[in-house]
Amino acid sequence: MPIYDFHCLSCDRIFERIVRADALPACPHCGAAQVEKLVSMPAAPGKSAGIIASARKQAAKEGHFSNYSKADRARAKG
């Protein structure tokens, strides 16, 4: 799943999440559902692996393991 940037219309914060293309997550700061998807800057060549690793680490922190294999889940938790 791709990483998207979102702008919360309630608290005016910007956050990013790994979500399906058609999903709109709730704001992690205030919980509001009124968010808009932003156009994100593409990753520079050669930096994608680091961005993906960072996003997976953040997802693991938040408890999102649905797209991980069992081995990935064990590494992410540890």
Side-chain angles (χ1 to χ4, degrees):
M1 285 187 273
I3 300 173
Y4 290 101
D5 289 338
F6 295 93
H7 173 242
C8 177
L9 300 174
S10 294
C11 69
D12 200 36
R13 292 191 182 186
I14 295 175
F15 62 97
E16 62 181 31
R17 288 289 176 269
I18 300 174
V19 294
R20 296 180 194 266
D22 59 346
L24 287 176
C27 175
H29 303 287
C30 70
Q34 297 83 19
V35 298
E36 61 184 359
K37 192 181 297 185
L38 302 175
V39 177
S40 301
M41 184 184 309
K47 304 276 183 176
S48 298
I51 292 170
I52 291 169
S54 173
R56 282 193 167 190
K57 185 176 180 182
Q58 180 65 29
K61 248 194 247 184
E62 295 172 7
H64 305 287
F65 291 108
S66 61
N67 62 337
Y68 279 64
S69 69
K70 285 185 181 182
D72 286 341
R73 280 184 233 154
R75 280 194 296 266
K77 287 182 180 178

